[in-house]
DNA sequence: TTCGTATATTCGGAAATACGGATATTAAAG
DNA sequence: CTTTAATATCCGTATTTCCGAATATACGAA
C-alpha cells in the first residue's frame, strides 16, 4: 500500500513530477506524447512511468501498440489531495506548457 | 525559493517526514526531544534538521545551548497545505506516538 | 579559563538512484 | 512470416543520498 514517504519520493524528481502534472492536466496521455512533452529519451520516460506505476500513482491502458497512462483514480484521498495541491505550483516551477498536443487521437 | 520537487524530496524520507510530523503536532520542539522521539543517533537527526532548514521547511530558535525547531510559518500556502495533508497518514504509517514528552520546559 | 551539555559539521564508505544506449517485447500491417 | 512502430527492460556507469563515529562549535556555569 502507498505510504506518504513513497508518494513524496515519487514526486521528488523533476521528471516524474512533470509526468504527473501532465497526466493530471489531461485525463489520459500516451507515452510518445509524454516523451515529446518532457523532451527526454524514451527509455528514461518509460523507466519513470514504470516507477510511478509500481507505486500505483498511475495506471496504464494498452491500445494496440500504444500505452495510455492516467492518474490512478483509486488513490487514497490524502494522496489525491497532495497531488492536486502540488500540480499548479509544479507546472509553474517546471515551466510546463499544457495542454500537450496529442499525436494519437484514439 | 522552495520548489515542489524540493519539498517532496525533503518529505520523501522516513526520518525527515517523522521530524516534520512531530514539529507539526507540537509547535516547537528541541533537538534532544526529537532525538528521543525518533530514536536515531544525534548526528543523524541534526543532519536531517539542517537539510529541512536549508529548504526553509523549518526554522530554529536558539535558547542557551538548546535549539528549538518549528515549522516555518512563512511557507507558501501550497507547501503548508501539502504538509498538512500528509501529517496524519504519515503519523499512522510511521507509527509516531504524539505528543513527545518534553525534556526542557523553557 | 576550564568543564560539561547540547548541537552542528566533517569524513569515508555503503547503498540507493538516475542515466541512456542497446536490446527485447508487443502488436498491427503487409 | 517479415517488417515496422511503440514501448519496456537490461546493463554498466555516474551521481546522489544516507549513515554514524569522530570531531568541532556554541554556550552557560563554576
Amino acid at each position: 500500500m502507498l505510504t506518504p514517504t513513497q508518494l513524496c519520493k515519487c514526486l521528488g524528481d523533476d521528471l516524474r513530477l512533470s509526468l504527473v502534472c501532465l497526466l493530471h492536466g489531461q485525463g489520459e496521455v500516451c507515452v510518445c506524447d509524454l516523451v515529446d512533452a518532457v523532451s527526454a529519451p524514451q527509455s528514461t520516460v518509460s523507466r519513470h512511468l514504470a516507477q510511478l506505476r509500481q507505486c500505483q500513482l498511475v495506471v496504464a491502458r494498452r491500445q494496440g501498440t500504444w500505452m495510455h497512462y492516467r492518474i490512478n483514480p483509486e488513490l487514497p484521498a490524502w494522496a489525491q489531495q497532495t497531488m492536486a495541491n502540488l500540480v499548479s505550483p509544479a507546472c509553474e516551477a517546471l515551466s510546463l506548457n499544457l495542454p500537450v498536443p496529442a499525436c494519437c487521437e484514439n
Side-chain angles (χ1 to χ4, degrees), chain A residues 2-104:
Chain A
L2 180 69
T3 68
T5 304
Q6 286 175 327
L7 173 63
C8 292
K9 219 174 283 204
C10 268
L11 300 181
D13 174 272
D14 280 344
L15 185 43
R16 281 193 299 274
L17 187 54
S18 296
L19 294 172
V20 166
C21 287
L22 293 170
L23 293 174
H24 190 96
Q26 353 224 140
E28 215 178 28
V29 187
C30 70
V31 178
C32 55
D33 289 337
L34 293 171
V35 168
D36 285 355
V38 301
S39 57
Q42 177 265 326
S43 71
T44 296
V45 172
S46 194
R47 186 162 25 79
H48 283 288
L49 284 171
Q51 198 171 338
L52 292 173
R53 210 178 18 180
Q54 175 149 344
C55 285
Q56 325 235 32
L57 285 202
V58 304
V59 292
R61 172 178 69 90
R62 175 178 286 279
Q63 178 165 27
T65 51
W66 285 274
M67 289 291 277
H68 297 264
Y69 281 84
R70 64 182 191 283
I71 302 289
N72 178 2
E74 297 178 2
L75 283 175
W78 58 266
Q80 294 194 34
Q81 285 175 9
T82 298
M83 291 173 54
N85 267 327
L86 290 173
V87 162
S88 87
C91 280
E92 186 163 3
L94 300 164
S95 59
L96 298 175
N97 38 355
L98 299 205
V100 165
C103 75
C104 41

